[in-house]
Amino acid sequence: MPDLRVASLIPSATEIVCALAGRETLVARSHECDHPPGVHALPALTEPKIPLDGSSREIDARVRSLLEDALSVYRVDADHLQDLRPDVILTQTQCDICAVHLRDVQTAVCSWMDPEPEVVALEPTCLADVWSDIERVGDALGRAAAGRALVRSLTDRMRALERQTPPADDPDAPTVACIEWIDPLMLARGWMPELVRRAGGVPVAAGETPPPTGEAAWERLQRSDPDAIVVMACGFGIERTVRELPALTGHLAWDDLQAVRNGRVAVADGNHYFNRPGPRLVESLQILAEILHPSHVAPALREEAWIVPAPVPKSPSPARSSA
């Protein structure tokens, strides 16, 4: 379908479209879409309603204030979207905070004349959902066979990585805490426990509902006392995450964790890898395997996608310096 026009309003969907050799169908992107190279040339149809500078705690407070008022975190340029007349719009229902939500798109297109565009809302909560979403995007683009082939390729690559590491049920498998937000502390969920298991680790707080946050997450972290900690802050790259680390290292519980004492704390690029449920989840698995099993997996992505941070000077805040 060479004349198909696609507007992708989430980074993972943009990466999926391009992985399906559909780059020429894209007519618009979200403000966060930055991969693969070249997508910046597309017009951005979304923007956040809040400043994204400041600390993790400040951003969290701004987001919570919007959500408490039942407001969306993002704005869609409905006029520009309508002018572009896409045949397919890709969005998501997974998270109000991560990207434009389905209801925002529905509001933006509700006044359109027929024919209305096909709106495909991705909704991944586990790896199987990610593979299903890739196939749904392939179907929407008229590239169903390519969608199935991409899923086969990604799952084959994951299995190859799994064969390089000891299994998660190995008695010596490390327990792993993945941190997806720093202040307040939030432990990763969704597809992350599966990635940890596939990388030969035992995930902390997997399947706990509701997931612990804030001081409850600190208490959970202390009780589990994991062998390894990976900080993969949502929306943050390595440099931004490192700047936020004092909010972790300043907590009175931090130095008592065995992962800290043993030097098994890593910082990963959560923005480009773990937080994007698309093709680069394979690289995310590679990162975890490198961190957890350095004697089995060569550090191909170290420094580029993950680092072992230098010790961070303590600067505790009285408001959050103890559990």
Side-chain angles (χ1 to χ4, degrees), residues 27-230:
V27 297
R29 63 177 176 92
S30 81
H31 65 285
E32 294 181 309
C33 295
D34 56 9
H35 186 82
V39 298
H40 270 126
L42 296 167
L45 299 184
T46 66
E47 62 179 357
K49 294 180 180 178
I50 57 172
L52 297 181
D53 55 356
S55 68
S56 297
R57 181 163 287 268
E58 289 168 339
I59 294 172
D60 179 74
R62 294 169 191 155
V63 169
R64 289 179 186 274
S65 178
L66 282 176
L67 296 180
E68 286 171 0
D69 292 334
L71 297 175
S72 171
V73 177
Y74 299 95
R75 182 179 295 108
V76 180
D77 188 340
D79 291 339
H80 199 173
L81 182 62
Q82 185 169 358
D83 289 342
L84 289 170
R85 305 301 298 179
D87 304 295
V88 177
I89 300 175
L90 303 176
T91 184
Q92 57 93 38
T93 62
Q94 173 213 356
C95 178
D96 287 335
I97 299 171
C98 296
V100 169
H101 198 275
L102 173 61
R103 64 175 174 271
D104 301 314
V105 176
Q106 291 171 331
T107 299
V109 303
C110 67
S111 62
W112 286 17
M113 300 295 289
D114 290 335
E116 288 190 2
E118 178 183 2
V119 178
V120 180
L122 309 186
E123 43 189 340
T125 59
C126 62
L127 284 179
D129 292 341
V130 177
W131 310 145
S132 176
D133 281 344
I134 289 174
E135 293 186 353
R136 290 172 60 215
V137 173
D139 291 344
L141 269 59
R143 301 179 185 225
R148 293 191 296 270
L150 178 58
V151 170
R152 285 195 299 272
S153 172
L154 296 174
T155 53
D156 286 348
R157 289 170 59 198
M158 280 197 171
R159 281 192 287 268
L161 279 168
E162 286 182 73
R163 288 193 289 269
Q164 296 182 46
T165 63
D169 59 2
D170 186 290
D172 297 322
T175 53
V176 186
C178 294
I179 295 175
E180 71 176 14
W181 195 250
I182 294 173
D183 189 16
L185 182 68
M186 299 180 189
L187 301 178
R189 49 197 188 279
W191 47 87
M192 280 310 308
E194 293 175 85
L195 287 180
V196 169
R197 293 188 189 97
R198 287 171 178 259
V202 179
V204 167
E208 293 188 10
T209 304
T213 61
E215 290 308 321
W218 274 107
E219 292 168 5
R220 184 68 180 86
L221 194 61
Q222 289 176 270
R223 288 199 309 273
S224 60
D225 196 16
D227 299 303
I229 296 173
V230 185

